[in-house]
Amino acid sequence: MPERRVTVASQVGLHARPAALLAKAAAAQPVTVTIRKNGGDPVEAASVLGLMTLGAMHGDEVVLSAEGEGAEAALEAIATIIATDLDQG
């Protein structure tokens, strides 16, 4: 299963607006993308509640996983969003 490690760029972490934007993008992918903090359980990246329960803060590294056709492109798209400061509207 392909994985991608990425550092959270948003100052508030994956909470509120950044979580909503990330979940929307993940839901649009052709495969299910999961996200976890090191040592933690994975949650679906398309779930705002799941993202917020991760407790991923600014500067934390998260691990994305996906499987199936289009997994690499989906991971790249989601990694790009996480690596962007989404705090500004």
Side-chain angles (χ1 to χ4, degrees), residues 20-33 44-47 51 74 78 81:
L21 293 171
L22 179 59
K24 183 177 178 181
Q29 299 305 312
V31 295
T32 299
V33 177
E44 284 197 30
S47 167
L51 290 171
I78 300 305
I81 292 168

Side-chain angles (χ1 to χ4, degrees), residues 43-72:
V43 299
E44 284 197 30
S47 167
V48 174
L49 183 59
L51 290 171
M52 293 188 347
T53 61
L54 279 178
M57 301 305 295
H58 173 77
D60 286 349
E61 184 178 71
V62 294
V63 181
L64 302 172
S65 301
E67 191 168 1
E69 189 170 334
E72 289 289 346

